[in-house]
Amino acid sequence: MRTYELEPRAPFSLHLTFVGTEPAFPSVYDGRYLWRVVRTSGGELVPLRVGQIGPREEPLLRVELLAPSVPEGAAEEALRVLSRFLCAQDDLTSAYARMEADPVLRPMLGPLRGMMPWTAFTPVEGLMDAIVFQQISLRVAFSIIRRLVKGLGQPVRVGERVLYAFPRPEDIAEAGRERLRKLGLSRNKADYLLSLSKTLVSSQLDLEAVGKLPVEEAIKVLTALRGVGRWTAELFLATGLKRWEVVPADDLGIRRAFAHLYGLGRDQIRPFVARWGGDAWPIAYYMLVWCERRQRVLKGSGLLYEQV
DNA sequence: AGCCAGGCTCTCG
DNA sequence: CGAGAGCATGGC
């Protein structure tokens, strides 16, 4: 077992980050550690867990590789992927400055300071998840994603625990329509995932490359995929490719947040967030979590937020 | 029990 | 073109 330390930019709170929105399976946060299997480009499965050992203003993360022996190259790659996912090197300074200057947003900076915006573990996983998220509630989507991963991903035993690697596109392509339907996907979504997987397997699509296109072009490429509309494309750009100038303005939760905090309607959101540039997604995400938290507190289950 | 939930595609007029 | 139907499962 090997241990590494990762020093994120301050402020950073692992806890706030994964309580703001629970991570999608197979990432698991237990209140203290984030558990995950990373699949390297060489195909090694690297199980790990990460916990925060330094405070929010001087953050330090301890990453434990949970396999007896991991090649050095694989370990380095796993740490890079993890760091990207955690946004450990991303800078929220300018987002915070904007929020500080806005009386609507300023109150969020105390309670949520150090929370990183929702990010997919990898681009491919992020696009698959985004498709499953369509229309249904997050709760339902999480349950379907869990079944998809447990059914088609690779289990990795770690002591008493079993972690899973997210299924590869070829795993999904091989599973076929009936299998996907039994895992809880609708006919349409099963077909969307199959189609996407086949496209990825045949290397007709490079999602990393899409991330480098101008936003409008990227949206065109993405919405040309079967089952990907504007909502999915924008959610994926923001969370999967970390294009933070993009906000999924059609999203129900985002619309509620902007309506409640700024009184804006759906069509006013995109022009409004343009002023935030590359800070748009982090700020919109803070608004989303803030509004959801308020709802949860009203329902009497906001306790998770008390501990930081 | 029935409707809605962080949409999309297909069909029809 | 715009409107409408159908869809998966879980919660209220």
Side-chain angles (χ1 to χ4, degrees):
Chain A
M1 309 284 168
R2 215 149 60 207
T3 299
Y4 295 84
E5 286 187 351
L6 212 62
E7 197 173 337
R9 260 177 217 277
F12 183 94
S13 166
L14 190 73
H15 187 75
L16 283 177
T17 300
F18 292 116
V19 171
T21 302
E22 153 193 9
F25 200 79
S27 300
V28 173
Y29 182 64
D30 63 8
R32 186 160 175 204
Y33 296 106
L34 181 95
W35 302 74
R36 177 73 207 206
V37 174
V38 184
R39 188 198 306 281
T40 67
S41 46
E44 292 115 330
L45 300 182
V46 183
L48 56 80
R49 73 173 189 189
V50 51
Q52 179 157 358
I53 53 178
R56 184 157 60 171
E57 302 304 328
E58 289 172 57
L60 196 59
L61 302 173
R62 174 174 292 147
V63 183
E64 299 165 68
L65 304 190
L66 304 171
S69 80
V70 178
E72 189 56 39
E76 278 171 20
E77 185 179 344
L79 288 177
R80 272 203 309 278
V81 170
L82 179 68
S83 174
R84 176 197 170 281
F85 170 57
L86 298 176
C87 303
Q89 300 309 322
D90 291 307
D91 191 356
L92 294 185
T93 306
S94 79
Y96 283 173
R98 291 184 201 281
M99 294 174 72
E100 187 67 46
D102 184 331
V104 170
L105 304 173
R106 194 181 308 136
M108 304 173 191
L109 285 177
L112 298 182
R113 184 175 165 80
M115 179 181 75
M116 295 294 131
W118 180 14
T119 303
F121 198 79
T122 66
V124 170
E125 182 172 333
L127 186 50
M128 303 257 186
D129 285 350
I131 287 171
V132 178
F133 286 140
Q134 289 168 9
Q135 165 61 23
I136 52 183
S137 62
L138 275 188
R139 185 154 201 100
V140 173
F142 280 139
S143 135
I144 294 173
I145 289 169
R146 181 181 310 271
R147 280 150 59 180
L148 178 75
V149 173
K150 286 193 174 176
L152 306 178
Q154 290 73 21
V156 177
R157 189 179 305 282
V158 174
E160 304 284 291
R161 207 179 262 263
V162 180
L163 305 180
Y164 290 84
F166 194 86
R168 298 163 299 179
E170 43 269 54
D171 297 325
I172 292 172
E174 279 168 25
R177 193 180 189 201
E178 289 317 303
R179 185 80 201 284
L180 291 176
R181 294 222 51 200
K182 286 203 182 101
L183 295 169
L185 291 152
S186 66
R187 275 198 305 273
N188 276 344
K189 287 185 187 174
D191 288 342
Y192 302 160
L193 289 188
L194 279 176
S195 157
L196 172 62
S197 298
K198 288 172 186 162
T199 305
L200 289 169
V201 167
S202 63
S203 303
Q204 293 169 46
L205 174 68
D206 178 355
L207 291 179
E208 308 272 1
V210 173
K212 293 176 181 133
L213 298 174
V215 170
E216 287 310 319
E217 273 181 57
I219 289 179
K220 262 184 215 155
V221 171
L222 291 167
T223 52
L225 297 168
R226 188 170 156 67
V228 178
R230 185 157 195 188
W231 178 88
T232 308
E234 289 183 331
L235 181 71
F236 170 64
L237 279 167
T239 64
L241 296 175
K242 301 179 80 161
R243 290 295 293 267
W244 287 357
E245 71 271 41
V246 179
V247 170
D250 298 327
D251 180 73
L252 210 58
I254 292 285
R255 278 159 53 192
R256 274 200 290 254
F258 276 83
H260 180 250
L261 293 169
Y262 287 111
L264 295 178
R266 159 195 211 133
D267 299 328
Q268 301 172 289
I269 297 175
R270 265 183 269 265
F272 185 82
V273 303
R275 74 193 63 185
W276 289 337
D279 299 322
W281 172 239
I283 297 175
Y285 183 68
Y286 270 61
M287 293 169 60
L288 189 66
V289 171
W290 184 256
C291 290
E292 276 176 4
R293 182 181 82 145
R294 191 179 46 87
Q295 270 188 337
R296 243 183 292 182
V297 168
L298 288 177
K299 286 185 202 160
S301 58
L303 292 177
L304 277 172
Y305 284 89
E306 299 309 320
Q307 39 172 317
V308 177

